[in-house]
Amino acid sequence: MNENRAGDHFRVVVIGAGFGGVGTAIKLKQSGIEDFAVLERDSGIGGTWWANTYPGCQCDIPSHLYSFSFAPNPSWTRTYAPQAEIQRYIADVAEREGIVPHIRFGCELQGAEWDEDAGLWRLATSTGAVTAELVVAAPGPLAEPSVPAIPGLDSFAGDVFHTARWNHDIDLAGRRVAVVGTGASAIQAVPRIQPQVDRLTLFQRTPPWVMPHGERPITAAERFLYRRVPALQRLVRSGVYWSREALVPALVHRPGLTKVIERIARRHLAAQVADPVLRERLTPDYTIGCKRILPSNDWYPAITQPNVDIVFGGLEEVRPDGVVGPDGTLRPADAIVFATGFHVTDMPLAKLVRGRDGSTLHELWHGTPQAYRGAAMAGFPNMFWLVGPNTGLGHNSIVFMIESQLAYVMDALRTMEAVGANRIEVRPEAQAAYNERLQARMPGTVWNSGGCASWYIDENGANSTIWPDFTWRFRQETRRFDPASYTLASTPRPAAAEPALAPAG
Ligand code: NAP
């Protein structure tokens, strides 16, 4: 199909070498497409599982489910895999499937523009220009660390870093460390660093709901069995999947039903925190599930140690020698660790991608990311996103959603080839109707009505992050590409790709 074979032009360019990008590359290869490149800004494979190396980093979705269905891993060592193991898994799969030669490491996207006349994407990257007939963007929603603009932060004399960019050159042992945030990252990192540090000042703005963790090592005998009887691992995977899906009716339709789960979390807190006053301050005032439910057996024991000082409120100010909370007290600190999450609904990449009329995604979205089936955007021809708007999950494995979208994208490519089209764009009315339907489901969900402020909700108050249904419904909806929702066209193409645009400022 592709006439242009210059080194900087590809039939497909994939952005990112995490689960989404590696999965895309595998499916492209399996369907006989070799003319593709994967652009990866980091120096290794894994995306968020490459970047997040903070102590204790581990997936809170069970290992058997948190993997590609087509590449089971009978060798997981724990029921919830540690980061290094997941990163190695993705890298191993990529290696095995022959993806690695297609990856351009250290290649960061700096701009992307659709050229309507040439019928291709012009990409500016940190290592030069690239053109592509089609782009699959798999940057991941949890890619850009968010550090709040705290007055005085620049004046701090000590070390500062984000959990997603852990600075392993800095030894926290024996130092006074402030940790900001009590989300999924903090809850894993704090119990690991608390025993080493001299003092730990923890800023808790909103307490999380914490559940007992059923985590344990997978025995050698189990691993042997999984290797010998792959169907057994598939059975376990399926059990995990359906037990997770069983949460959906409560999360989506009847948040009141989550009271049962809440009771378990309250008992967990009561069993681990004896002081009733402290317990009260660690008890969330919103419906469980509104923010991610966090599993941990060592969070409460860690934060109740004598060397931990919990500040009940946000970090308000930083001074050269310490941190200040709402009570105005200066707490001396040698290092500040931000466990403050990511730019999700305001992802910087949206400012770099320009569509048919020259507007960026960011400009078109006006603060509320929107797509069709979380993958296609009107005005952005020949581009698909993985884990785009409203494909996020609080309860189940994102790899399941990625595989659903991969089936959809690959069917779209097959359809293009079958009808001889080289241009594809979702119809704005199909996108609008899809989002109307999605948003109509939101008001009664726990994410919208549970009484919390979470990163699922964007600056306009819309839930543009979460898929508000069973994940198998998403699988059904993405099983087949639906050409009626798209315009498919065959347009004459110039013979050779022109130089790409200059890097965006
Ligand atoms: P997060 O859930 O967004 O939590 C950020 C934390 O920082 C919140 O506690 C927030 O408080 C706090 N915060 C923000 N600004 C603050 C300020 N100025 N002062 C005090 N506190 C402040 O981020 P995350 O923990 O990195 O997790 C993000 C997502 O990544 C998770 O929801 C999950 O999807 C994923 N993740 C998964 C795993 C896993 O699988 N185990 C691990 C890590 C992350 P408020 O609550 O008051 O806003």
Side-chain angles (χ1 to χ4, degrees):
M1 181 168 156
N2 177 28
E3 298 293 291
N4 297 315
R5 287 278 167 182
D8 63 350
H9 180 79
F10 297 93
R11 179 169 167 192
V12 183
V13 161
V14 181
I15 314 289
F19 263 112
V22 167
T24 306
I26 291 171
K27 295 295 171 189
L28 287 171
K29 240 179 149 50
Q30 285 174 350
S31 67
I33 298 173
E34 288 287 339
D35 183 14
F36 71 89
V38 181
L39 312 186
E40 170 52 58
R41 68 179 177 185
D42 285 325
S43 55
I45 294 173
T48 199
W49 294 107
W50 168 267
N52 281 265
T53 60
Y54 60 81
C57 185
Q58 182 186 31
C59 187
D60 59 12
I61 297 290
S63 324
H64 292 307
L65 186 58
Y66 201 80
S67 47
F68 290 121
S69 62
F70 54 82
N73 177 16
S75 307
W76 292 122
T77 63
R78 305 194 70 84
T79 50
Y80 293 78
Q83 168 269 336
E85 219 171 295
I86 302 174
Q87 188 276 325
R88 215 165 39 240
Y89 164 78
I90 306 171
D92 285 351
V93 175
E95 177 79 41
R96 224 167 38 230
E97 300 286 341
I99 302 310
V100 181
H102 291 268
I103 306 178
R104 296 186 166 193
F105 291 106
C107 178
E108 181 160 12
L109 189 74
Q110 296 175 327
E113 256 180 42
W114 172 251
D115 182 333
E116 183 72 30
D117 295 331
L120 45 74
W121 280 98
R122 298 188 181 283
L123 311 175
T125 82
S126 55
T127 55
V130 177
T131 53
E133 287 173 29
L134 190 127
V135 170
V136 179
L142 305 172
E144 300 294 339
S146 168
V147 175
I150 308 288
L153 183 55
D154 286 347
S155 73
F156 187 59
D159 300 305
V160 180
F161 54 89
H162 189 280
T163 44
R165 299 285 181 274
W166 196 269
N167 189 338
H168 292 276
D169 294 338
I170 293 168
D171 185 5
L172 296 179
R175 302 180 78 196
R176 296 163 305 179
V177 179
V179 175
V180 188
T182 53
S185 302
I187 205 169
Q188 294 180 335
V190 165
R192 295 293 285 273
I193 61 172
Q194 171 273 323
Q196 305 167 10
V197 304
D198 173 40
R199 281 217 71 72
L200 195 150
T201 302
L202 175 67
F203 286 86
Q204 173 195 275
R205 202 163 60 179
T206 314
W209 281 110
V210 181
M211 296 288 280
H213 206 332
E215 202 255 355
R216 65 167 178 85
I218 296 176
T219 63
E222 285 174 291
R223 293 203 294 271
F224 174 79
L225 264 179
Y226 291 141
R227 267 193 289 276
R228 279 302 178 84
V229 193
L232 190 63
Q233 194 178 23
R234 283 201 297 275
L235 193 71
V236 175
R237 178 183 169 97
S238 174
V240 173
Y241 174 77
W242 288 108
S243 66
R244 298 256 154 191
E245 285 295 271
L247 291 170
V248 171
L251 299 174
V252 174
H253 301 291
R254 295 244 183 288
L257 291 176
T258 57
K259 284 277 175 235
V260 186
I261 312 170
E262 192 179 301
R263 227 170 287 140
I264 300 170
R266 279 182 192 278
R267 271 211 299 269
H268 187 50
L269 173 62
Q272 295 197 319
V273 179
D275 174 359
V277 177
L278 177 60
R279 209 154 61 209
E280 184 61 30
R281 306 197 84 168
L282 296 175
T283 305
D285 62 359
Y286 53 87
T287 308
I288 193 166
C290 184
K291 285 168 177 278
R292 193 176 181 89
I293 303 171
L294 308 180
S296 175
N297 296 334
D298 48 13
W299 170 248
Y300 293 132
I303 64 174
T304 47
Q305 292 304 308
N307 69 337
V308 177
D309 177 18
I310 309 177
V311 179
F312 297 97
L315 173 60
E316 306 263 305
E317 187 193 339
V318 176
R319 298 194 192 145
D321 52 348
V323 288
V324 181
D327 61 0
T329 307
L330 172 73
R331 290 168 169 89
D334 308 309
I336 304 174
V337 176
F338 283 98
T340 42
F342 300 85
H343 290 283
V344 181
T345 56
D346 58 342
M347 60 161 82
L349 197 65
K351 291 186 178 156
L352 301 180
V353 179
R354 284 183 193 281
R356 178 162 41 79
D357 76 353
S359 305
T360 63
L361 267 175
H362 174 81
E363 285 160 353
L364 287 182
W365 279 343
H366 292 295
T368 296
Q370 197 195 81
Y372 180 69
R373 303 210 191 286
M377 273 81 82
F380 293 76
N382 292 18
M383 173 174 270
F384 290 103
W385 282 59
L386 297 184
V387 200
N390 290 110
T391 56
L393 301 175
H395 75 289
N396 214 328
S397 169
I398 199 65
V399 185
F400 184 90
M401 300 299 272
I402 289 171
E403 284 194 47
S404 303
Q405 289 194 303
L406 286 178
Y408 187 73
V409 171
M410 294 315 297
D411 202 29
L413 295 191
R414 273 192 297 274
T415 307
M416 285 174 80
E417 210 153 70
V419 303
N422 58 9
R423 188 186 186 288
I424 185 170
E425 184 180 347
V426 68
R427 294 179 189 277
E429 61 276 18
Q431 183 175 324
Y434 176 81
N435 281 282
E436 234 168 80
R437 184 164 65 79
L438 270 190
Q439 290 305 323
R441 297 179 68 83
M442 292 299 184
T445 66
V446 71
W447 307 291
N448 285 52
S449 69
C452 75
S454 78
W455 57 266
Y456 304 147
I457 308 296
D458 62 38
E459 65 183 59
N460 301 317
N463 185 340
S464 46
T465 310
I466 291 277
W467 169 250
D469 207 333
F470 293 103
T471 60
W472 53 263
R473 284 243 167 83
F474 188 73
R475 177 64 55 98
Q476 274 180 335
E477 289 194 12
T478 47
R479 200 172 290 283
R480 297 229 174 288
F481 177 67
D482 46 343
S485 300
Y486 289 77
T487 47
L488 286 139
S490 177
T491 56
R493 294 276 165 84
E498 298 299 320
L501 79 166

